[in-house]
Amino acid sequence: MGLQGAMKSKCAPWRVPTKLEKLRLKFVTCPKSHWSSRAEASQHPGLLPPTTLWVSRASSPKAALSPAGITEILMNRPHARNALGNIFVSEMLDALVRLREDQKVRVLLFRSGVKGVFCAGADLKEREQMSAAEVGVFVQRLRGLMNDIAAFPAPTIAAMDGFALGGGLELALACDLRVAASSAIMGLIETTRGLLPGAGGTQRLPRCLGVALAKELIFTGRRLSGVQAHALGLVNHTVDQNKEGDAAYHRALALAQEILPQAPIAVRLGKVAIDRGMEVDIASGMAIEGMCYAQLLTGKETWFRGAERTLEALRLRRVFNSEGDSDNS
């Protein structure tokens, strides 16, 4: 068996990429499940693995455009509008496992490589081919994916530059922060198709907007624009869409850059205190906050940040004194 035959047996089906896909391949890192190394991938530029998700990191050319510490998960399944199928979910779960233990990941950003779409929700065409038992297993895996995103230790941001429907909005709801283009369309529309949100939507939406409003949106299957979602508090920021169709991504990137200078352990513990505290009464929440604060005091981060501020104050004092001396001379 030749090299190409061996590769087909390992990662079939293979295909020759389009010019656009070749261009994209130059700027993203393929998941380890398809290539043992980036060097191996570069030796076979004429072939693309059947990947639907790429992780862009500080070591890749594309991530070099962003500050170190911001990692992007790029969803790219154009023929299915980033619909959540079995392979897509598996790749996302694998990516989260790899990134969870990486202390260099300070902010995780979810974005789409498909213009006009964030995520169209569950892959209903794939679902039609499943038995009832298989559907139950798939929905459970989908729910587990959203739980893993919500439990990711570093802050997560969803950059919604297009449609985020059903499971797509549930994915965004699992993130800590959401940024949407004004033209983005989002909603939990499952009731319009004889279903109900099954990947956390019935639980995370009322925690985000309140019970009455969440019920109204789910009962009606209403779709919201980015502007409407911002007015309700569903997204943190909304921006006018640009010609490239990635305005929300750039605003999300700016938001991530605001987080980067802050103490990483303090940010992570702040996330724990808020997330865990929201699940209990306020007295228990205060106890959780106390435990998180105690962990911070026992670590080195408090001293390190304090030392940084002290050094900065001394530097400014020296600058001020030197300027004063020059004025007096």
Side-chain angles (χ1 to χ4, degrees):
M1 183 187 302
L3 173 62
Q4 189 163 334
M7 291 163 65
K8 282 184 178 179
S9 64
K10 181 180 180 181
C11 297
W14 293 90
R15 55 185 170 80
V16 176
T18 65
K19 290 183 179 180
L20 179 59
E21 288 173 327
K22 286 181 179 179
L23 182 63
R24 285 175 179 161
L25 185 61
K26 293 178 182 178
F27 294 99
V28 296
T29 302
C30 290
K32 293 179 180 178
S33 59
H34 298 297
W35 297 108
S36 60
S37 68
R38 292 182 67 227
E40 181 184 348
S42 65
Q43 292 173 6
H44 309 287
L47 295 175
L48 268 183
T51 183
T52 56
L53 181 145
W54 293 313
V55 178
S56 180
R57 305 169 63 87
S59 60
S60 70
K62 184 168 187 177
L65 300 175
S66 306
I70 299 176
T71 297
E72 301 171 7
I73 287 185
L74 177 69
M75 297 177 287
N76 191 73
R77 198 184 177 202
H79 66 282
R81 296 164 61 86
N82 287 343
L84 299 166
N86 267 310
I87 294 177
F88 187 97
V89 171
S90 296
E91 289 180 341
M92 185 85 78
L93 288 168
D94 291 343
L96 291 171
V97 168
R98 296 200 304 272
L99 296 174
R100 188 179 296 116
E101 303 303 323
D102 189 347
Q103 296 298 317
K104 295 180 181 179
V105 178
R106 302 277 297 278
V107 182
L108 182 60
L109 196 154
F110 290 82
R111 61 176 298 210
S112 170
V114 182
K115 190 173 182 179
V117 177
F118 176 69
C119 176
D123 190 333
L124 297 183
K125 291 183 179 179
E126 184 176 297
R127 184 167 173 170
E128 288 176 354
Q129 308 303 317
M130 299 179 185
S131 66
E134 289 171 335
V135 170
V137 171
F138 172 73
V139 172
Q140 186 65 34
R141 291 182 70 234
L142 199 58
R143 192 177 297 122
L145 170 62
M146 305 311 173
N147 290 339
D148 283 358
I149 293 173
F152 194 81
T156 53
I157 305 176
M160 305 160 70
D161 271 306
F163 284 92
L165 302 174
L169 181 54
E170 287 177 308
L171 192 157
L173 283 168
C175 293
D176 298 307
L177 307 171
R178 288 163 292 282
V179 178
S182 57
S183 59
I185 301 297
M186 63 199 75
L188 296 180
I189 62 171
E190 285 86 348
T191 54
T192 67
R193 301 179 179 181
L195 303 168
L196 79 155
T202 63
Q203 302 306 306
R204 292 192 175 94
L205 190 63
R207 283 168 169 78
C208 179
L209 299 181
V211 172
L213 186 52
K215 285 181 176 178
E216 179 179 339
L217 293 177
I218 291 175
F219 293 170
T220 61
R222 186 178 302 157
R223 302 184 182 205
L224 303 172
S225 68
V227 175
Q228 292 171 320
H230 183 251
L232 295 178
L234 181 55
V235 301
N236 298 80
H237 303 277
T238 184
V239 290
D240 292 334
Q241 188 58 282
N242 56 27
K243 293 181 180 179
E244 292 75 22
D246 59 357
Y249 163 66
H250 286 291
R251 182 63 185 90
L253 194 59
L255 183 57
Q257 290 172 326
E258 286 187 65
I259 298 172
L260 277 185
Q262 315 316 320
I265 298 176
V267 170
R268 289 186 175 215
L269 286 174
K271 176 174 178 174
V272 171
I274 294 170
D275 288 349
R276 296 292 178 266
M278 288 299 295
E279 303 299 326
V280 298
D281 60 89
I282 191 167
S284 301
M286 295 296 288
I288 293 171
E289 180 186 271
M291 288 187 287
C292 290
Y293 200 93
Q295 288 185 48
L296 192 63
L297 292 178
T298 57
K300 298 180 180 179
E301 179 150 323
T302 302
W303 175 88
F304 180 74
R305 294 291 292 179
E308 280 189 321
R309 293 190 178 114
T310 300
L311 290 172
E312 179 66 9
L314 290 173
R315 186 188 69 79
L316 292 174
R317 185 180 300 173
R318 285 197 298 270
V319 171
F320 178 82
N321 289 338
S322 64
E323 290 178 349
D325 293 340
S326 63
D327 290 340
N328 294 330
S329 59

